[in-house]
Amino acid sequence: MRLKLKLATTAAMALGLTASVAMAEDVEVLHWWTAGGEAAALNVLKEDLAGKDIGWNDMPVAGGGGEAAMTALRARVTSGNPPTAVQMLGFDILDWVEQGDVLADLNEAATAENWDAVIPAAIQKFSKPNGNWIAAPVNVHSTNWVWANKAVLDELGIAQPTNWDEFIAALQTVKDAGKVALAHGGQPWQEATIFDSAVLASGGPEFYQKSMIDLDPEALNSPEMVAAFDKMGQLRGFVDDNFSGRDWNLASAMVINGEAAFQIMGDWAKGEFLRAEKVPGTDFLCFRVPGTEGVVTFNSDQFVMFKQDSPEAQAAQIEMAKAAESPAFQAAFNQVKGSVPARTDVSDEGFDDCAKQGMKDLAAAAEGGTLLGSMGHGHANPAAVKNAMYDVITAHFNGEYDSATAAEELANAVEGAM
């Protein structure tokens, strides 16, 4: 489908102006933001572009992980008719870089808007591979968060834990009181989300870099990795018997409703608390997994731009990229989405307390070199490696391996997947 031309403003038609009217292409956007909050967040960008007289042709493909969207994208590109922009994550972006000359060049927009100075290098790894900007990052989600029901903690006299041992002690206190200590959904990606933090808490950011990102064989099968699996084993003792297959948002609901005290989950969980009209600091607490303070494990939604034939389509694409990176849009979008801006220079005015902490943490981690791609969410290693890790992590969590065997199996699985 060719992108259609449209009049820049219908007001000019109504006035019967005889002067030539500027023409603008619509943009066609492939994405999987179809849920209520996600769709509302996307509307912020649609309205921004409408103000620039650029129309929006929506191409939503349902599916939270984007697999169906990637299948649809391959069909479009193969047929020689790529969309203007595609929502994409992590190593999926780098895979398209290897597909030949199919991605657009956003260097003009990036230079004009000084993206290099305000977007962290860890995110640029995916937005600017090979030295050329091909994507506009719109947000950052981080995975090493704990969400806690404040009323439950207050009732049991539990202070916010500041280290791993205090966290385990808090979980034990909740369990002894007859409540579910750790709300969890037994799905591989959820276990991998927790594993991000277990690795950090066991070996720190340098070890995480070596093992999860560099895939160093010695790090993968090391005492630190055994310790990470030991921590997973500790946490396994605090989940309820019905955890298997539970969706993450249902685990969040257990904390919201006071059925459980804690959940380890990315900051998208905050949206569940806010939709339930819960207030940060009053009804629930948000804090980094004890032992991971000073580090942010992340994923980042980006709009990857595909080459367009016509100058009008190219111009609209550049305008979309600029709009997606503008501080005003990043603030408005992320306040709705629950994530934090990809830019570190956006004001935190209007953000809730958890987001303000997230923005502060992101800037500090970017400055200190401790902003690290999440293994659990496809920003540390390619999909084949990630999935091989998933298998071992879940097998261990379900009791199939002891910790030493799991570390050995992890190293073997990564070697086989590479």
Side-chain angles (χ1 to χ4, degrees):
M1 180 181 70
R2 296 283 298 175
L3 298 177
K4 64 180 181 178
L5 290 174
K6 63 186 284 288
L7 286 173
T9 169
T10 55
M13 294 176 61
L15 292 171
L17 297 180
T18 57
S20 61
V21 178
M23 306 294 281
E25 289 276 7
D26 291 351
V27 293
E28 186 179 17
V29 185
L30 174 63
H31 64 91
W32 60 88
W33 280 328
T34 56
E38 295 169 335
L42 201 58
N43 280 335
V44 176
L45 184 56
K46 294 180 185 179
E47 292 168 3
D48 187 287
L49 291 175
K52 297 178 173 64
D53 297 311
I54 297 173
W56 180 288
N57 288 329
D58 212 30
M59 191 179 176
V61 180
E67 292 85 359
M70 293 303 98
T71 299
L73 173 62
R74 282 189 289 272
R76 289 288 301 271
V77 174
T78 300
S79 69
N81 183 28
T84 311
V86 182
Q87 178 197 358
M88 215 177 290
L89 292 164
F91 276 81
D92 284 343
I93 301 174
L94 300 186
D95 287 345
W96 278 102
V97 175
E98 304 300 323
Q99 299 303 310
D101 192 25
V102 297
L103 301 179
D105 183 337
L106 301 181
N107 289 331
E108 174 191 337
T111 300
E113 306 293 329
N114 202 24
W115 294 0
D116 285 294
V118 297
I119 297 173
I123 298 173
Q124 290 187 34
K125 172 182 177 178
F126 304 101
S127 319
K128 190 186 176 184
N130 303 328
N132 289 308
W133 286 91
I134 49 86
V138 296
N139 67 359
V140 177
H141 280 295
S142 55
T143 66
N144 56 321
W145 285 103
V146 177
W147 308 91
N149 184 298
K150 189 174 184 301
V152 172
L153 269 58
D154 289 347
E155 176 189 344
L156 299 176
I158 298 172
Q160 179 178 312
T162 60
N163 58 50
W164 186 266
D165 289 342
E166 288 182 4
F167 187 37
I168 295 301
L171 290 165
Q172 188 64 55
T173 298
V174 177
K175 184 177 180 179
D176 291 344
K179 289 183 177 289
V180 177
L182 184 65
H184 174 63
Q187 297 169 340
W189 73 267
Q190 294 193 57
E191 272 116 39
T193 299
I194 296 176
F195 195 70
D196 276 347
S197 294
V199 172
L200 276 174
S202 297
E206 290 184 4
F207 176 69
Y208 187 97
Q209 175 72 40
K210 286 182 180 179
S211 59
M212 297 292 98
I213 298 174
D214 298 341
L215 304 175
D216 177 81
E218 291 186 7
L220 288 166
N221 186 13
S222 66
E224 292 87 352
M225 192 60 71
V226 174
F229 279 109
D230 282 344
K231 285 180 170 57
M232 294 293 287
Q234 286 181 294
L235 296 176
R236 175 65 178 83
F238 296 109
V239 304
D240 65 298
D241 292 338
N242 299 316
F243 77 98
S244 182
R246 178 186 291 137
D247 288 336
W248 69 269
N249 57 312
L250 298 181
S252 299
M254 293 171 65
V255 179
I256 292 168
N257 297 331
E259 300 166 22
F262 300 100
Q263 180 188 22
I264 298 173
M265 185 50 61
D267 53 12
W268 48 90
K270 181 184 66 178
E272 299 300 306
F273 288 83
L274 298 181
R275 277 189 284 277
E277 299 184 344
K278 303 300 182 181
V279 179
T282 300
D283 301 308
F284 68 98
L285 303 180
C286 52
F287 55 93
R288 296 295 173 182
V289 175
T292 75
E293 295 88 354
V295 183
V296 173
T297 47
F298 78 92
N299 66 18
S300 174
D301 288 294
Q302 311 213 18
F303 280 122
V304 180
M305 303 295 180
F306 282 76
K307 277 194 169 180
Q308 302 296 307
D309 292 334
S310 74
E312 294 85 0
Q314 293 165 11
Q317 187 174 62
I318 291 295
E319 286 302 317
M320 179 180 172
K322 289 180 178 179
E325 284 312 314
S326 70
F329 166 73
Q330 294 249 330
F333 178 88
N334 285 288
Q335 286 171 26
V336 175
K337 184 71 168 64
S339 42
V340 302
R343 298 174 62 119
T344 57
D345 64 337
V346 176
S347 169
D348 67 3
E349 185 179 354
F351 285 87
D352 63 71
D353 288 348
C354 293
K356 287 179 178 178
Q357 184 62 50
M359 293 169 75
K360 181 180 177 182
D361 291 347
L362 175 65
E367 180 71 21
T370 56
L371 179 60
L372 302 170
S374 164
M375 177 281 297
H377 294 268
H379 280 65
N381 41 59
V385 173
K386 178 192 74 173
N387 292 332
M389 286 186 167
Y390 275 15
D391 290 344
V392 176
I393 293 163
T394 293
H396 171 269
F397 200 77
N398 290 329
E400 295 180 32
Y401 302 133
D402 61 28
S403 295
T405 302
E408 183 178 354
E409 290 292 331
L410 189 68
N412 292 338
V414 169
E415 182 181 6
M418 293 176 64

